[in-house]
């Protein structure tokens, strides 16, 4: 089968997420990296593209040139990844979708709920794929938890408790570092800092595993480093459509915590826990029974967890291979197959609605606010 052509915007040299996309897209030999506008600095982007083996006529100075350059090619890119800072996602995604490209956009998908709703409508109208990189949902053992909920192994989910709290922006003397600063600058990050950066991953995962959607929430935000306009710590309580109760803590000043993403799901007949720093295991406790450690690669796991694990039992499979699972399912979707679980523009706009609800709630002393986008009310 011929490889699919892949292009990326952003993800330049030294960026945080660029390498994960490159490894993810290449891991299964499905995509060929053929085009890019990799850096805000045109020359740096073109030089890096050359280093990565992209032909010079497809190493573009910016995304507008890439759109024009690729639009009429017979071998144009089958998929465009948008890995730039948040304030550019909407414009780039919208323009590429409208020109008939499939897009994988980094989170948060847009800066406003209205922009998110527009992207959903454009994707529906054009029939093109718009995926959003909620890559943690593609870890094999996260899929196992989802299957356990779906098949009733923990009963109805009563409670989801999740943290995405790290300490990497906890040094006040580093607050002016340009790679840190944009995340707390409303002009580049939007209305929320840490909740929109990390909290939405945790909220997406709560919905993904519980098979339920967030309906309303109450939030408390804090900017613990006073020069920051946006929050670097948030506590969010939420309620889901089917009655699941959610508790979420997200922070970037929790010094000593490293990646710090974990989720616990408590059902009527059992509880489960997954931690991103030990992603190969799920702890499972049936009501009245002993705690068991379930391991990626065990023969008894669901088809879905087995499908997304390609390395033998006990060998670590980490973040780049979770991103690779998103690319595997995108390739299948581009080739016309249906893949359940691929995060889409619907997830992107639901996150934006939750972000705006949390900002409003935090301003109103934690008042409960409807967290659904108007198109899903
Ligand atoms: N899914 C995840 O787990 C995850 C993890 C980290 C970051 N992200 C998201 O990825 C995005 C990028 O974050 P990052 O941490 O890699 O940022 P970064 O600041 O480390 O890198 C951004 C890159 O984009 C380039 N860039 C900026 N504007 C551009 C433009 N207009 N055109 C082309 N290139 C441009 C920069 O030169 C740089 O190479 C953000 O939206 C962030 O929220 C997602």
């Amino acid at each position: 089968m011929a490889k699919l052509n892949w292009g990326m915007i952003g993800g330049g040299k030294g960026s945080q997420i660029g390498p994960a996309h490159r490894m993810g897209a290449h891991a299964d030999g499905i995509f060929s990296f053929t085009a890019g506008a990799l850096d805000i600095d045109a020359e740096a982007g073109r030089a890096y593209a050359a280093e990565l083996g992209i032909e010079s006529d497809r190493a573009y100075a910016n995304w507008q040139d890439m759109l024009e350059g690729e639009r009429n090619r017979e071998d144009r890119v089958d998929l465009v990844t948008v890995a730039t800072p948040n304030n550019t996602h909407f414009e780039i995604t919208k323009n590429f979708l409208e020109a008939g490209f499939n897009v994988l956009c980094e989170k948060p998908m847009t800066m406003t709920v209205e922009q998110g709703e527009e992207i959903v409508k454009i994707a529906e109208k054009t029939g093109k794929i718009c995926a959003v990189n909620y890559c943690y949902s593609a870890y094999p053992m996260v899929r196992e938890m989802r299957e356990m909920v779906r098949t009733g192994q923990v009963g109805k989910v009563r409670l989801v408790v999740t943290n995405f709290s790290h300490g990497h922006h906890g040094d006040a003397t580093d607050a002016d570092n340009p790679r840190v600063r944009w995340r707390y600058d409303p002009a580049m990050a939007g209305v929320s800092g840490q909740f929109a950066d990390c909290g939405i991953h945790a909220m997406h995962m709560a919905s993904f595993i519980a098979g339920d959607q967030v309906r309303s929430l109450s939030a408390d935000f804090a900017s613990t480093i006073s020069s920051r306009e946006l929050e670097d710590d948030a506590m969010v309580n939420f309620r889901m459509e089917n009655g699941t109760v959610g508790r979420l803590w997200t922070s970037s000043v929790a010094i000593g915590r490293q990646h710090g993403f974990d989720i616990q799901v408590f059902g009527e007949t059992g509880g489960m826990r997954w931690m991103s720093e030990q992603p190969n295991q799920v702890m499972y406790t049936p009501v009245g029974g002993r705690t068991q450690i379930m391991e990626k690669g065990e023969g008894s796991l669901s088809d879905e967890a087995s499908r997304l694990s390609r390395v033998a039992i006990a060998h670590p499979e980490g973040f780049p291979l979770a991103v690779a699972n998103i690319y595997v399912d995108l390739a299948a979707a581009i080739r016309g197959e249906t893949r359940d679980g691929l995060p889409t523009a619907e997830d992107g706009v639901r996150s934006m609605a939750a972000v705006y609800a949390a900002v409003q709630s935090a301003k109103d002393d934690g008042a409960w606010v409807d967290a659904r986008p108007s198109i899903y009310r």
Side-chain angles (χ1 to χ4, degrees):
M1 198 181 285
K3 286 194 181 199
L4 296 169
N5 288 333
W6 172 60
M8 181 159 65
I9 300 161
K13 198 169 210 164
S15 69
Q16 190 186 346
I17 200 65
H21 281 288
R22 288 205 321 278
M23 286 185 262
H26 286 138
D28 294 86
I30 308 172
F31 287 97
S32 168
F33 194 10
T34 43
L38 302 180
D39 206 291
I40 187 73
D41 176 333
E43 272 325 296
R46 285 172 55 81
Y48 191 43
E51 239 180 80
L52 297 172
I54 293 175
E55 298 291 336
S56 63
D57 63 327
R58 298 179 87 173
Y60 298 98
N62 54 53
W63 67 264
Q64 292 90 342
D65 284 2
M66 181 162 152
L67 183 62
E68 289 316 309
E70 292 295 308
R71 192 194 280 277
N72 296 317
R73 292 185 74 107
E74 271 185 24
D75 62 347
R76 70 190 207 156
V77 286
D78 298 289
L79 173 69
V80 177
T81 292
V82 181
T84 49
N86 307 356
N87 61 336
T88 60
H89 293 175
F90 169 67
E91 196 184 14
I92 302 174
T93 300
K94 172 179 157 60
N95 277 283
F96 274 86
L97 281 174
E98 284 176 339
F101 292 90
N102 300 301
V103 176
L104 169 61
C105 182
E106 263 306 341
K107 43 55 59 178
M109 181 175 78
T110 56
M111 296 281 270
T112 68
V113 183
E114 293 72 25
Q115 289 173 346
E117 292 184 337
E118 197 177 333
I119 294 289
V120 169
K121 286 178 190 152
I122 295 169
E124 275 169 9
K125 191 170 156 206
T126 59
K128 292 293 147 188
I129 297 162
C130 181
V132 180
N133 194 30
Y134 290 109
C135 46
Y136 301 100
S137 64
Y139 275 98
M141 295 310 282
V142 171
R143 294 293 169 101
E144 182 66 16
M145 290 171 82
R146 184 188 196 221
E147 289 304 306
M148 287 177 73
V149 171
R150 278 182 163 175
T151 52
Q153 292 178 63
V154 294
K156 183 177 181 320
V157 177
R158 290 174 174 149
L159 182 63
V160 179
V161 180
T162 182
N163 302 305
F164 196 157
S165 296
H166 64 81
H168 300 296
H169 304 160
D171 180 355
T173 62
D174 195 38
D176 267 345
N177 173 341
R179 294 204 32 227
V180 174
R181 199 179 50 218
W182 75 256
R183 292 185 149 85
Y184 303 96
D185 174 358
M188 290 190 80
V191 292
S192 157
Q194 178 61 14
F195 183 62
D197 194 26
C198 294
I200 59 172
H201 273 299
M203 194 167 260
H204 174 264
M205 190 165 319
S207 296
F208 185 79
I209 294 173
D212 204 350
Q213 296 294 350
V214 175
R215 184 185 175 86
S216 59
L217 60 75
S218 157
D220 180 36
F221 279 12
S223 300
T224 67
I225 292 183
S226 58
S227 59
R228 287 180 180 157
E229 206 171 319
L230 299 176
E231 85 289 353
D232 53 20
D233 186 280
M235 187 67 87
V236 181
N237 284 306
F238 55 95
R239 295 285 190 279
M240 302 180 102
E241 300 278 11
N242 295 329
T244 304
V245 174
R247 317 273 185 216
L248 185 159
W249 171 48
T250 187
S251 185
S252 66
V253 294
I255 294 170
R257 287 180 64 112
Q258 298 302 336
H259 190 248
F261 185 11
D262 59 58
I263 187 159
Q264 290 177 272
V265 175
F266 302 105
E268 289 169 333
T269 61
M272 301 183 283
R273 181 172 194 184
W274 178 85
M275 290 164 282
S276 68
E277 292 173 36
Q278 286 169 267
N280 292 343
Q281 285 102 29
V282 164
M283 281 188 271
Y284 163 59
T285 313
V287 64
R290 285 201 173 132
T291 298
Q292 305 162 27
I293 296 177
M294 297 162 49
E295 186 86 26
K296 173 197 77 73
E298 282 176 7
S300 58
L301 298 184
S302 63
D303 290 347
E304 185 65 357
S306 302
R307 178 177 78 82
L308 294 179
S309 167
R310 316 166 194 71
V311 182
I313 189 164
H315 292 295
E317 240 169 316
F319 185 70
L321 284 187
V323 177
N325 287 334
I326 298 284
Y327 280 90
V328 166
D329 281 357
L330 272 168
I334 291 167
R335 290 179 165 139
E337 294 169 33
T338 307
R339 284 291 161 89
D340 173 43
L342 190 60
T344 64
E346 175 179 341
D347 298 296
V349 71
R350 284 188 184 277
S351 294
M352 277 327 288
V355 165
Y356 273 76
V359 170
Q360 188 188 326
S361 170
K363 277 190 191 140
D364 292 347
D365 289 334
W368 282 84
V369 175
D370 193 321
R372 299 167 297 170
S374 59
I375 54 173
Y376 298 122
R377 282 187 189 175

